[in-house]
């Protein structure tokens, strides 16, 4: 059986695109990488030559005119809603980096638009697709933890730091525990747009209790998930290892040795698996794991954290 080669376009040639997505697309055999777009045409040309795009363009209209089956929106979050709306309205299935929009209103509108147009939209919560998270989910065996502690810490703050980075941990907490019943958060800041840290305690409808830690004054980037319940502990140290502990043994799996030392960041952090999932969902007409309907709930929960912490909300 011959599988149709999907005609793929990409919008955005920044750090995230060049380090996490374009290398994956360049090595994917069952697609045609027909076009790449950037506001700066020369940047699009350089990226296209480096990663095998057939054509470089400087507008979304020109990109769609290439006859796309699907597109990747890898641009700054401020333009996600506008670009995704254009693509969906022109019949193009779309993969959008997180967050799907900067406001809940725009996120809701995108969700409704997928239902109206019948097009696929997948949000790039790549951590869900990371091998260590997949292993942790399997170790839970369809259960939920009693307690989850999720941390994403980095050395320096940035504009709306909690929205920019803690959203991954909020999404994973939902993935493991379900929907939130109650949220209490605190934050430290001199300028509300550049917080130093945010912490939150979240009570889930499933009975789980979660602690979110998002510190921007740490020594290094650090990401981890710690879960306890049923006399078992699951420890995830992103992106490399997962440890399962019970009353008889402690078993740790590390990815790099399994890949004979060649484990790549796009694999370990889940980007390559997310891309593959997107293509499979298009071909098999399936709803993505990180659909707009599901991802909107993550945005809603993050908004509750921001409001409780006294930070600018997604409103």
């Amino acid at each position: 059986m011959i599988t149709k080669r999907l005609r793929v376009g990409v919008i955005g040639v920044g750090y995230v695109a060049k380090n996490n997505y374009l290398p994956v697309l360049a090595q994917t055999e069952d697609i045609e990488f027909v076009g790449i777009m950037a506001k700066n045409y020369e940047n699009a040309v350089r990226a296209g030559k480096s990663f095998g795009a057939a054509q470089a363009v400087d507008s979304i209209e020109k990109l769609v005119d290439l006859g796309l089956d699907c597109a990747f929106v890898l641009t700054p979050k401020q333009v996600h809603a506008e670009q995704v709306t254009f693509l969906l309205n022109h019949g193009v299935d779309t993969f959008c980096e997180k967050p799907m929009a900067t406001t809940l209103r725009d996120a809701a509108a995108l969700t409704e638009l997928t239902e109206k147009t019948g097009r696929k939209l997948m949000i790039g919560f790549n951590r869900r697709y990371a091998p260590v998270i997949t292993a942790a989910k399997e170790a839970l065996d369809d259960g939920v933890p009693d307690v989850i502690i999720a941390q994403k810490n980095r050395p320096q703050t940035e504009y709306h730091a909690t929205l920019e980075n803690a959203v991954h941990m909020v999404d994973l907490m939902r993935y493991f525990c379900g929907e939130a019943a109650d949220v209490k958060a605190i934050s430290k800041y001199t300028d509300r747009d550049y917080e130093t840290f945010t912490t939150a305690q979240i009570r889930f409808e499933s009975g789980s209790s979660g602690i979110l830690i998002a510190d921007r004054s740490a020594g290094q980037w650090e990401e981890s998930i710690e879960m306890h319940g049923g006399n078992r502990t699951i420890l995830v140290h992103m992106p490399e290892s997962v440890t399962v502990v019970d009353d008889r043994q402690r078993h740790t799996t590390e990815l790099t040795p399994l890949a004979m030392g060649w484990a790549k960041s796009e694999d370990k952090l889940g980007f390559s698996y997310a891309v593959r999932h997107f293509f499979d969902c298009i071909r098999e007409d399936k709803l993505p794991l990180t659909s707009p309907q599901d991802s909107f709930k993550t945005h809603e929960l993050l908004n509750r954290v921001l409001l409780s912490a006294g930070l600018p909300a997604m409103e």
Side-chain angles (χ1 to χ4, degrees):
M1 179 179 177
I2 299 175
T3 301
K4 175 182 179 290
R5 289 164 64 87
L6 296 173
R7 294 176 61 81
V8 179
V10 170
I11 305 175
V13 296
Y15 178 87
V16 169
K18 289 190 288 189
N19 285 273
N20 301 321
Y21 289 102
L22 292 175
V24 176
L25 295 175
Q27 297 175 25
T28 302
E29 295 181 353
D30 57 348
I31 67 166
E32 291 183 55
F33 191 178
V34 297
I36 190 165
M37 176 225 149
K39 240 182 352 181
N40 184 311
Y41 177 69
E42 294 304 320
N43 289 342
V45 170
R46 283 192 291 269
K49 288 181 178 178
S50 297
F51 297 101
Q55 192 167 337
V57 296
D58 60 2
S59 75
I60 193 170
E61 292 83 2
K62 292 177 183 177
L63 187 68
V64 168
D65 284 345
L66 297 177
L68 304 180
D69 292 309
C70 59
F72 287 75
V73 174
L74 310 176
T75 47
K77 58 184 178 290
Q78 292 82 1
V79 295
H80 285 177
E82 177 185 354
Q83 292 175 337
V84 172
T85 297
F86 185 91
L87 291 167
L88 295 177
N89 278 327
H90 284 77
V92 179
D93 292 322
T94 303
F95 181 109
C96 179
E97 247 298 277
K98 60 78 191 168
M100 60 195 292
T102 56
T103 70
L104 291 181
R105 181 182 61 256
D106 285 345
L110 292 180
T111 302
E112 293 171 5
L113 187 57
T114 62
E115 296 165 357
K116 176 183 176 183
T117 61
R119 306 316 309 179
K120 296 280 186 297
L121 174 59
M122 177 171 158
I123 309 306
F125 284 114
N126 58 287
R127 301 306 196 269
R128 285 204 196 187
Y129 303 90
V132 290
I133 296 300
T134 299
K137 188 73 168 175
E138 291 174 352
L140 280 173
D141 194 24
D142 294 327
V144 296
D146 288 334
V147 174
I148 181 170
I149 303 169
Q151 298 192 64
K152 186 172 184 184
N153 304 320
R154 294 179 68 172
Q156 295 179 339
T157 191
E158 61 186 311
Y159 184 72
H160 293 180
T162 304
L163 169 61
E164 184 65 30
N165 285 286
V167 65
H168 278 301
M169 296 297 103
V170 171
D171 184 64
L172 289 177
M173 294 174 84
R174 278 193 59 247
Y175 187 47
F176 288 122
C177 302
E179 306 310 328
D182 186 57
V183 176
K184 295 180 181 177
I186 60 173
S187 185
K188 177 183 177 182
Y189 51 81
T190 302
D191 183 338
R192 291 171 71 244
D193 289 323
Y194 294 89
E195 60 267 35
T196 302
F197 69 73
T198 299
T199 61
Q201 183 164 6
I202 303 172
R203 179 172 60 86
F204 293 89
E205 294 173 1
S206 62
S208 300
S209 178
I211 297 173
L212 169 70
I213 302 172
D215 184 59
R216 301 308 296 263
S217 62
Q220 294 185 24
W221 169 71
E222 184 79 15
E223 232 175 276
S224 65
I225 300 278
E226 181 177 329
M227 294 181 283
H228 308 278
N231 296 319
R232 184 168 52 173
T233 294
I234 301 170
L235 306 169
V236 177
H237 192 269
M238 290 291 294
E240 185 61 45
S241 69
V242 58
T243 300
V244 180
V245 185
D246 58 27
D247 59 348
R248 292 180 297 176
Q249 63 180 349
R250 178 186 183 98
H251 181 75
T252 299
T253 301
E254 295 186 357
L255 297 187
T256 295
L258 292 179
M260 295 180 288
W262 291 96
K264 299 177 181 178
S265 62
E266 56 262 36
D267 296 329
K268 291 193 290 184
L269 284 166
F271 292 101
S272 60
Y273 300 102
V275 169
R276 185 74 263 164
H277 179 69
F278 177 56
F279 292 148
D280 289 344
C281 286
I282 294 173
R283 289 198 170 97
E284 299 168 22
D285 193 22
K286 299 188 304 185
L287 190 69
L289 174 64
T290 47
S291 67
Q293 292 83 357
D294 185 83
S295 298
F296 181 77
K297 296 176 182 177
T298 291
H299 291 66
E300 280 187 312
L301 177 52
L302 177 62
N303 191 57
R304 293 170 69 182
V305 171
L306 296 173
L307 286 171
S308 181
L311 295 172
M314 296 182 67
E315 296 178 341

